């Protein structure tokens, strides 16, 4: 189409063209100013001749065209004045301009006069327009023809014999208006398509680009059609759409087909699309094989989805026209026809269809499942997806129902859902699993039946256990922790008020998490344990079993599950965690009056303490937890209790460092005293512990004296003093005020003989202890009496 | 007026998924000057969340905390008050006020904040005040049945501290307040 000139040449030609336009425009204006019609015509024709060039690219031609266009507006005004003045009738003018030498300027002038003609109303608009649209056939050169017809379209826009327009004329002139625009459109499209086949083959791409620059010229006609008042749904259905589609299909041009289908969808109202769905969709299979149908289809579905969302009152219409079925079928056909369509393309289509379905028919789970099923069919036969774009689309596909239905249970009912997930690679399966869990926790949805939970765990199995061929090493530590914490959180959302069902749930969860292996158990086991303990407590609250009925859900059964579950931690190994959990279970068993069960849990805890917990700091915490728990036990008979307390005090005395021993031992004193009347109140053994603690503190002091270090044992003595005061108040007879006084003196002595400088915190501790004694003296009653004898100064 | 948030025993994710939404919406960054946490968060995520509320964050170690580096006890001075912080599983019998009073004397503080029992308590004695902010998530406790989520906000103003306790009961946040005034004799 273009001679092989360089860009510089083009610039030059454009400049020349513009200069030509400007020069002739100048003379044209002079002629107009002096009402010289003859000269005006002469110079305008010369000006328009610049548009006869073949040397410019579309972009540059447009530049030239616009300048001419602007000048022509002034000329049009002149024509109007002349005809109104009567110096020349419009009919004569219409005839006169046809004498212009070259056809292109002739036609531009004709169109311009035509505009004046219509405005004058001396002839019906429809007649003038018909004449013009026919005459324009005179230009068959694609670029020039397109711009000429574009000119015609522009000036005729406001003069169409539309319903309610001043140019309406007699009845049914609306048909003529439509016919005019359609004709112009069809001819323009033909010209546009013809451009593709001009010039050498090697410039095909360049031509495509140039054609794209011109596409809006063609598309504008469709826009005009959509604006015509008289084009109602019926006219659109009967005339407009079929004629447009006919041209689209028949032109057999890929570029045109893609653009125009998209244009139709953008330009006409959604309501029309809905009612002409069958017609519209039937065009797709007739299009050229390389047309990107899926994009257009997706666009259409997305538009109709939005339509449904913003105007819910039209939803019944969707059902009436069977929109879903039509789309399903159409998509199926497209995918079948385009065998080379990559997976990502097909999935994208299904994502659009699913979005459509969720917005238009959210209550039809069968439709949703159908879409997923169709997707599975397309995916089947392939291995797991490697294409990351396709994977992304699948995640979008699977996430859509989750977002729509805040209740995960609904998504679980989609039979094809897990099948789609099977096609994801391992890491994406995990990502999807996390999306699912997030959806559950975000909506604080509760999943309350064991079979639903079974289905859920199947979906998230990527997180629960190692998948075949999975490379776990690739996962960052922090990411793994976050992952498993999500699973731990999830367990709290699995709940049912019915005890039997809850027990089933616990068993289901246990079954799955025990497959997790040593890396996952430390995260998941505690959650299950606490879930189970909560159930135990609820069962506790239910006093009295049903008469004679065998009730499957009992605390005992749950403790068995608990035992099994905590035992699994040994493979990690996680002795500290297991010990804590055993102690909690012991307490729970205590509250259920199950002495042997509680005892067994303590035994397990002790085994762990003896054999697995070697770190001294860990031991200190562990022993205090044991002491704290044991102190609260009221279920044990004398023998059992003695065994346990004996062991505990034994361990306490064997801690690594003396100060720790001392503290643990005096803590043990509380094992022999509860404020509960039915509980133990053994003053003797309390005192034994306190004295033992004192001995240890003394021994620590001796060691310090030898090494000349600060033993910190003064602090220990003060702590022990405080414990003596505690039991002094409880009324243990062996603890007399003399004993207290002696201790106070001992501390004073030790403070003075301590090698190092007085430690301010120890000073403060002693001072506040003495202050406490003084406070108690002020309390009055028996407390005052007790403390009266004790001197603090 | 200095605002101190006291909370703890969240036990995320072992015993609870998250703090109640109603609490989270009340705790806005930039409004609180200090946070003291009794422990048992248990994971870093909670630590980061608390840090986002207020950079001056103090935590003591609970027996389930993932981070083993938190100290067993902590003391800090805010205005005229000395505060002590300790999870409380170390003090036997658990929840026993006299034993906690001993810890208070040992740490030499006006206000002792401890947890572990998951039950809110605010107790005044001549030696000072013992506060237990309860469990911010309402987590299961072997010691307390029917735990309601709770936390404490202390408004320290000169020699006076007003303790606001926020409890989530049947889905509604209930607030109570207790006044404490530091007497001259409490500390030399």
């Amino acid at each position: 189409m273009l001679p092989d000139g360089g860009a510089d040449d083009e610039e030059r030609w454009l400049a020349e063209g513009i200069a030509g336009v400007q020069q002739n425009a100048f003379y044209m204006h002079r002629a107009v100013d002096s009402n010289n019609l003859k000269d005006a015509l002469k110079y305008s024709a010369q000006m328009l001749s610049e548009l006869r060039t073949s040397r410019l690219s579309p972009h540059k031609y447009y530049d030239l065209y616009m300048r001419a266009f602007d000048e022509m507006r002034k000329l049009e005004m002149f024509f109007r004045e002349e005809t109104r003045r009567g110096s020349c009738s419009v009919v004569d003018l219409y005839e006169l301009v046809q004498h212009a030498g070259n056809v292109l300027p002739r036609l531009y002038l004709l169109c311009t006069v035509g505009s004046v003609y219509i405005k004058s109303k001396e002839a019906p608009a429809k007649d003038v327009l018909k004449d013009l649209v026919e005459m324009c056939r005179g230009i068959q050169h694609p670029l020039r023809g397109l711009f000429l017809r574009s000119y015609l379209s522009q000036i005729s826009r406001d003069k169409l014999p539309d319903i309610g327009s001043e140019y309406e004329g007699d009845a049914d002139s609306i048909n003529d208006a439509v016919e005019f625009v359609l004709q112009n459109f069809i001819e323009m499209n033909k010209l546009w398509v013809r451009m593709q086949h001009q010039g050498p083959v090697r410039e095909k791409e360049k031509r495509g680009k140039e054609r794209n620059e011109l596409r809006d010229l063609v598309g504008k006609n469709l826009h005009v059609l959509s604006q015509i008042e008289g084009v109602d749904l019926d006219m659109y259905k009967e005339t407009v759409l079929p004629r447009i589609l006919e041209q689209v299909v028949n032109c057999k041009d890929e570029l045109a087909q893609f653009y125009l289908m998209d244009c139709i969808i953008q330009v006409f109202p959604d309501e029309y699309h809905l009612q002409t769905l069958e017609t519209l969709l039937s065009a797709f299979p007739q299009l050229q094989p390389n047309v990107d149908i899926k994009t257009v289809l997706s666009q259409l579905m997305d538009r109709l989805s939005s339509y449904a969302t913003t105007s819910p009152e039209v939803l019944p219409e969707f059902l009436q026209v069977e929109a879903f079925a039509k789309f399903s079928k159409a998509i199926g056909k497209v995918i079948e026809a385009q065998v080379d369509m990559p997976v990502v393309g097909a999935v994208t289509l299904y994502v659009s269809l699913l979005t459509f379905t969720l917005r238009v028919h959210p209550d039809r789970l069968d439709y949703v499942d159908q879409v997923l099923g169709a997707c599975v069919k397309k995916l089947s036969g392939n291995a797991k997806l490697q294409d990351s774009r396709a994977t992304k689309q699948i995640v979008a596909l699977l996430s859509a129902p989750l977002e729509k239905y805040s209740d995960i249970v609904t998504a679980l009912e989609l039979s094809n859902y897990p099948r789609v997930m099977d096609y994801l690679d391992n890491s994406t399966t995990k990502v999807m699993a996390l999306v699912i869990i997030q959806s559950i926790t975000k909506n604080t949805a509760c999943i309350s039946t064991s079979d639903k939970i079974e289905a859920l765990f199947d979906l998230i199995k990527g997180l629960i256990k190692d998948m075949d061929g999975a490379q776990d090493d690739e996962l960052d530590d922090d990411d793994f922790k976050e992952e498993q914490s999500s699973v731990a959180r999830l367990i709290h959302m699995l709940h049912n008020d019915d005890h039997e069902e809850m027990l089933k749930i616990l068993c289901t969860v246990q079954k799955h998490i025990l497959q997790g292996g040593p890396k996952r158990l430390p995260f998941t086991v505690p959650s299950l344990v606490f879930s189970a303990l909560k159930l135990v407590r609820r069962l506790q609250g239910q006093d009295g079993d049903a008469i004679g009925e065998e009730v499957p859900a009992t605390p005992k059964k749950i403790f068995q599950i608990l035992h099994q579950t905590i035992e699994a931690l040994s493979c990690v190994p996680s002795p500290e965690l297991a010990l804590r959990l055993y102690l909690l279970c012991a307490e729970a068993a205590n509250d259920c009056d199950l002495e042997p069960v509680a005892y067994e849990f303590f035994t397990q805890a002790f085994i762990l303490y003896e054999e697995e917990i070697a770190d001294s700091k860990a031991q200190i915490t562990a022993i205090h937890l044991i002491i704290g728990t044991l102190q609260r036990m009221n279920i044990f008979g004398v023998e059992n209790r003695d065994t346990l307390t004996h062991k505990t005090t034994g361990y306490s005395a064997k801690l690594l460092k003396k100060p720790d021993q001392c503290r643990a031992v005096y803590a043990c004193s509380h094992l022999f005293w509860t404020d509960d009347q039915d509980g133990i109140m053994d003053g003797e053994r309390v005192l034994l512990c306190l004295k033992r603690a004192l001995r240890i503190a003394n021994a620590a002091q001796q060691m310090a004296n030898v090494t000349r270090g600060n033993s910190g044992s003064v602090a220990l003595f003060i702590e022990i003093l405080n414990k003596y005061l505690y039991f002094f108040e409880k009324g243990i007879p062996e603890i007399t005020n003399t004993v207290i006084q002696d201790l106070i003196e001992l501390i004073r002595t030790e403070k003075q003989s301590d090698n190092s400088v007085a430690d301010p915190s120890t000073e403060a501790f002693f001072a506040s202890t003495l202050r406490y004694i003084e406070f108690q003296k002020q309390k009055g009653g028996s407390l005052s009496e007790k403390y009266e004898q004790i001197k603090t100064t | 007026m200095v605002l101190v948030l006291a909370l703890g025993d969240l036990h995320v994710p072992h015993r609870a998924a998250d703090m109640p939404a109603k609490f989270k919406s009340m705790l806005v960054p930039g409004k609180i000057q200090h946070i003291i946490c009794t422990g048992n968060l248990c994971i870093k995520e909670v630590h980061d969340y608390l840090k986002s509320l207020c950079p001056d964050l103090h935590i003591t170690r609970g027996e389930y905390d993932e981070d083993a580096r938190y100290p067993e006890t902590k003391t800090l001075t805010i205005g005229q008050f000395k505060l002590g912080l300790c999870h409380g599983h170390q003090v036997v019998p658990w929840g026993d006020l006299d034993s906690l009073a001993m810890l208070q004397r040992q740490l030499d503080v006006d206000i002792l904040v401890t947890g572990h029992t998951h039950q809110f308590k605010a107790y005044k004695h001549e030696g000072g005040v013992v506060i237990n902010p309860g469990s911010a998530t309402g987590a299961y406790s072997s010691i307390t049945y029917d735990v309601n989520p709770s936390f404490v906000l202390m408004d320290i103003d000169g020699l006076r501290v007003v303790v606001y306790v926020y409890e989530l009961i049947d889905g509604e946040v209930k607030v109570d307040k207790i006044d404490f005034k530091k007497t001259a004799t409490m500390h030399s």
Side-chain angles (χ1 to χ4, degrees), chain A residues 120-383:
Chain A
S120 72
K121 302 206 180 127
E122 288 189 29
K126 67 177 191 193
D127 291 342
V128 180
L129 292 174
K130 183 146 192 257
D131 196 36
L132 290 174
V133 80
E134 288 287 310
M135 295 286 269
C136 283
R137 278 182 204 262
I139 301 296
Q140 286 299 315
H141 182 272
L143 186 61
R144 298 197 284 267
L146 276 171
F147 275 97
L148 173 63
R149 286 191 177 272
S150 186
Y151 183 75
L152 174 59
S153 175
Q154 274 174 290
I155 58 157
S156 62
R157 256 204 99 151
D158 55 342
K159 301 178 185 79
L160 297 175
D162 192 2
I163 291 177
S165 124
E166 58 182 294
Y167 305 106
E168 195 173 346
D170 54 16
D172 296 333
S173 66
I174 178 67
N175 293 328
D176 299 294
V178 170
E179 188 57 39
F180 166 73
V181 182
L182 277 174
Q183 268 293 99
N184 207 25
F185 161 70
I186 289 168
E187 292 306 315
M188 283 179 82
N189 193 41
K190 284 188 190 162
L191 290 169
W192 191 40
V193 169
R194 192 178 307 151
M195 269 177 94
Q196 188 65 32
H197 307 287
Q198 294 190 313
V201 176
R202 69 177 182 280
E203 288 189 349
K204 198 169 110 155
E205 202 183 300
K206 187 171 167 208
R207 277 204 297 285
K209 227 172 121 248
E210 286 177 354
R211 282 189 62 201
N212 251 324
E213 289 174 7
L214 294 167
R215 65 188 189 185
D216 286 340
L217 292 181
V218 182
K220 196 77 194 295
N221 292 293
L222 299 183
H223 192 254
V224 170
L225 279 169
S226 74
Q227 303 286 67
I228 298 178
E229 288 286 341
V231 175
D232 57 4
L233 177 59
D234 283 325
M235 175 158 274
Y236 177 77
K237 214 166 163 181
E238 300 302 315
T239 311
V240 177
L241 185 63
R243 291 285 297 280
I244 297 175
L245 286 179
E246 192 186 350
Q247 172 56 212
V248 170
V249 170
N250 289 344
C251 77
K252 294 199 189 335
D253 178 75
E254 207 180 294
L255 198 93
Q257 285 179 341
F258 179 73
Y259 171 69
L260 289 172
M261 289 305 287
D262 188 56
C263 208
I264 295 171
I265 293 168
Q266 301 288 356
V267 145
F268 291 104
D270 298 322
E271 195 204 319
Y272 286 13
H273 296 316
L274 197 56
Q275 295 299 331
T276 57
L277 207 50
E278 188 92 59
T279 315
L280 200 55
L281 292 176
S282 65
F284 282 104
Q286 301 176 59
L287 301 179
Q288 300 300 102
N290 286 336
V291 175
D292 185 9
I293 296 177
K294 61 180 186 329
T295 305
V296 183
L297 254 179
S298 294
Q299 269 270 46
L300 181 59
M301 282 191 280
D302 290 341
R303 268 193 85 98
L304 291 177
S305 296
S306 302
Y307 183 44
T309 312
T310 51
S311 319
E313 67 275 9
V314 302
L315 284 173
E317 262 184 66
F318 279 83
L319 287 166
Q320 195 209 14
V321 304
E322 292 175 23
F324 174 77
K326 296 205 168 102
F327 274 122
S328 271
K329 225 166 61 171
I331 291 174
K333 280 218 191 105
V334 167
I335 291 180
E336 224 178 307
Q338 297 191 349
V339 273
D340 292 330
M341 193 196 288
V343 177
V344 60
V347 182
T348 311
L349 269 172
Y350 284 123
V351 172
S352 289
L353 182 58
L354 187 65
T355 313
F356 174 82
T357 315
L358 287 172
R359 284 205 220 172
V360 175
H361 305 292
D363 52 324
R364 297 295 300 261
L365 283 181
D366 56 329
Y367 282 174
V368 179
D369 210 18
Q370 214 180 310
V371 178
L372 294 175
C375 195
V376 171
K377 229 176 95 182
K378 174 66 189 171
L379 292 170
S380 70
N382 299 350

Side-chain angles (χ1 to χ4, degrees), chain A residues 754-773:
Chain A
D754 206 355
N755 291 330
S756 61
V757 182
D759 175 17
S761 66
T762 325
E763 289 296 324
F765 189 14
F766 191 42
S768 56
T769 311
L770 295 178
R771 230 178 299 136
Y772 172 72
I773 297 173

Side-chain angles (χ1 to χ4, degrees), chain A residues 412-423:
Chain A
L412 290 173
E413 284 180 38
L414 301 166
S415 64
N416 287 309
Y417 197 93
R419 288 190 211 146
V420 176
M421 270 191 83
D422 280 338
Y423 286 98

Side-chain angles (χ1 to χ4, degrees), chain A residues 652-681:
Chain A
S652 301
K654 291 206 206 77
L655 287 170
L656 186 65
K657 300 203 182 96
K658 290 222 180 295
D660 300 322
Q661 291 172 4
C662 179
R663 290 187 172 108
V665 167
Y666 74 58
C668 286
S669 63
H670 290 284
L671 292 175
F672 306 104
W673 195 275
T674 62
D675 284 329
D676 185 2
Q677 288 290 58
D678 301 326
I680 184 169
M681 280 170 152

